[in-house]
Amino acid sequence: MTDPSLKTGQTPSLSFYEDMHPPAADFRSDILAGLSKPQKALPPKYYYDEEGSRLFDAITEQPEYYVTGTELELLRAIGPELAALAGEGAVVLEPGAGSSVKIRTLLDALERPAAFVGMDISGDHVRAACEELAADYPELEIGALCHDFTQKLDVDALPLSENAHAGRRVVFFPGSTIGNFELIDALGLLKTLRSWLREGDALLIGTDMRKASETLEAAYDDKAGVTAAFNLNLIARINRELDGDIDADGLQYRAFWNPYRSRVEMYLMAVRDMHFTVAGERFVIRKHETIHMENSHKFTLDTFHDLAAKAGLKSRKAWVSGREPFSMHWLEPAGEAC
Ligand code: AVJ
């Protein structure tokens, strides 16, 4: 399981680095499959190449995109309550370790946390992020895992100290990333996160909430056009990496609030008929036909608690931001998942 060249001791700043060898994503076949569907669709996980990650960071700085700022503000405000719930010596695990400002806010709020374990599908990414954290938190035991959260994970088997294993586990899943998944997959992911918890452990998860459609549609289609560029960047990536010839000028970005499914849906819409080739395969998109790019589900406290309950998680405490409605949930295992 452990890459012998990366064992403890050879990575001085980290307590451990383990590569769990997540199944490699196949960009080519995923894109071709998506473009072949009757409703064309592209998987949002491919947004985040270097330029895509830069564009996403730029989205979080747009005045209309309240999500990131609101969550951070809320996390800061509830710090003392989180410290009380977690107690001393907690172990924080973060799947998709990305936003170091949020994890730092949490770690700073807690009382002498024992350990942090970052996980990401990109080994390089998680290792770099955790090493940076280790430089600033010398007291903390820090491990990095190259792991995909759809894979099995035995947290008891992680090479943490005995002291850390004894601490309360807090799985941290901020950003309303859960909202990106179809509800059935969100449920599956919650069950997976639930399976990492013992009695007394917790899942701390951020979920964006339903609000006025104007606010939502502006947040996902900012005036400066950064979200549009973020979507069109995936088209550029397909053209570059899969020898495609999609004319991005013939595609317009559209985001709308679907109240019936409680989500913002994002599309690229063709303004005229277009024929194009990707990886040697030919496609046609008709005028006004769309490519479904992404969903961002929004919850109420009740709808999220109902979903969590189906995953065997009960709410101990929820906080709602006073700015734009955004919620943080402290969930604990409740019996078995159904
Ligand atoms: C990263 C999934 C939380 O849904 O708000 C933002 C992604 N896409 N603007 C979100 C996103 C366009 C974002 N998440």
Side-chain angles (χ1 to χ4, degrees):
M1 186 160 70
T2 310
D3 179 338
S5 67
L6 297 166
K7 261 206 305 250
T8 312
Q10 298 189 9
T11 312
S13 50
L14 292 184
S15 301
F16 66 86
Y17 171 78
E18 277 199 27
D19 187 347
M20 323 266 290
H21 302 288
D26 188 342
F27 184 56
R28 181 177 174 279
S29 67
D30 287 350
I31 297 300
L32 290 175
L35 291 174
S36 303
K37 287 181 178 163
Q39 166 64 63
K40 293 177 174 62
L42 295 173
K45 67 176 176 186
Y46 293 117
Y47 277 132
Y48 301 91
D49 65 352
E50 211 176 301
E51 176 67 357
S53 300
R54 194 193 65 75
L55 285 165
F56 182 72
D57 288 345
I59 287 175
T60 66
E61 277 152 27
Q62 297 311 300
E64 299 96 330
Y65 191 73
Y66 59 85
V67 177
T68 313
T70 305
E71 183 178 46
L72 196 56
E73 210 176 277
L74 182 57
L75 259 181
R76 291 202 172 108
I78 66 176
E81 286 178 83
L82 295 175
L85 283 163
E88 248 189 70
V91 177
V92 179
L93 299 103
E94 189 185 15
S99 156
S100 90
V101 54
K102 286 178 205 165
I103 189 61
R104 281 162 192 257
T105 303
L106 176 60
L107 292 172
D108 292 346
L110 298 183
E111 251 183 275
R112 283 188 284 130
F116 170 73
V117 180
M119 314 170 199
D120 198 84
I121 192 153
S122 159
D124 290 345
H125 176 80
V126 71
R127 203 172 163 162
C130 290
E131 276 171 357
E132 246 178 70
L133 208 62
D136 295 334
Y137 292 81
E139 312 284 77
L140 198 62
E141 215 174 298
I142 297 183
L145 279 184
C146 174
H147 169 268
D148 171 356
F149 44 57
T150 59
Q151 267 181 304
K152 281 231 169 320
L153 176 68
D154 181 1
V155 181
D156 294 328
L158 292 178
L160 288 165
S161 67
E162 221 171 289
N163 175 49
H165 272 303
R168 170 177 280 118
R169 286 178 197 156
V170 178
V171 173
F172 184 48
F173 199 57
S176 202
T177 306
I178 192 80
N180 244 194
F181 296 83
E182 293 288 344
L183 291 178
I184 185 75
D185 300 324
L187 176 58
L189 178 51
L190 288 174
K191 284 181 182 175
T192 298
L193 301 180
R194 155 78 177 79
S195 76
W196 301 353
L197 306 177
R198 305 153 303 187
E199 212 182 301
D201 294 337
L203 169 61
L204 177 64
I205 182 168
T207 57
D208 194 18
M209 301 180 81
R210 289 179 70 116
K211 54 182 62 63
S213 60
E214 297 77 25
T215 309
L216 288 164
E217 290 180 352
Y220 289 87
D221 192 4
D222 60 279
K223 277 219 173 69
V226 182
T227 310
F230 176 64
N231 280 267
L232 289 166
N233 178 60
L234 181 50
I235 301 299
R237 181 176 178 192
I238 290 168
N239 285 344
R240 192 174 57 243
E241 294 181 22
L242 300 176
D243 191 25
D245 61 0
I246 307 171
D247 182 2
D249 290 339
L251 295 171
Q252 280 181 357
Y253 175 67
R254 290 280 185 276
F256 77 93
W257 166 242
N258 181 344
Y260 310 105
R261 301 190 74 170
S262 202
R263 65 194 197 182
V264 176
E265 300 184 8
M266 290 158 263
Y267 295 91
L268 290 173
M269 185 184 74
V271 298
R272 57 171 184 276
D273 286 7
M274 295 198 287
H275 295 260
F276 60 91
T277 305
V278 172
E281 287 195 26
R282 300 157 75 95
F283 298 93
V284 58
I285 185 166
R286 297 296 175 188
K287 183 176 181 177
H288 295 155
E289 189 184 337
T290 55
I291 306 174
H292 187 194
M293 302 297 283
E294 192 176 21
N295 299 310
S296 193
H297 288 82
K298 307 301 172 187
F299 299 91
T300 65
L301 291 182
D302 286 338
T303 61
F304 189 68
H305 288 160
D306 291 346
L307 185 69
K310 288 191 172 69
L313 290 161
K314 65 171 186 298
S315 170
R316 170 83 179 269
K317 173 96 198 174
W319 302 265
V320 177
S321 159
R323 192 157 61 130
E324 292 295 348
F326 184 99
S327 53
M328 290 294 313
H329 300 261
W330 186 276
L331 304 172
E332 293 176 346
E336 283 303 299
C338 56

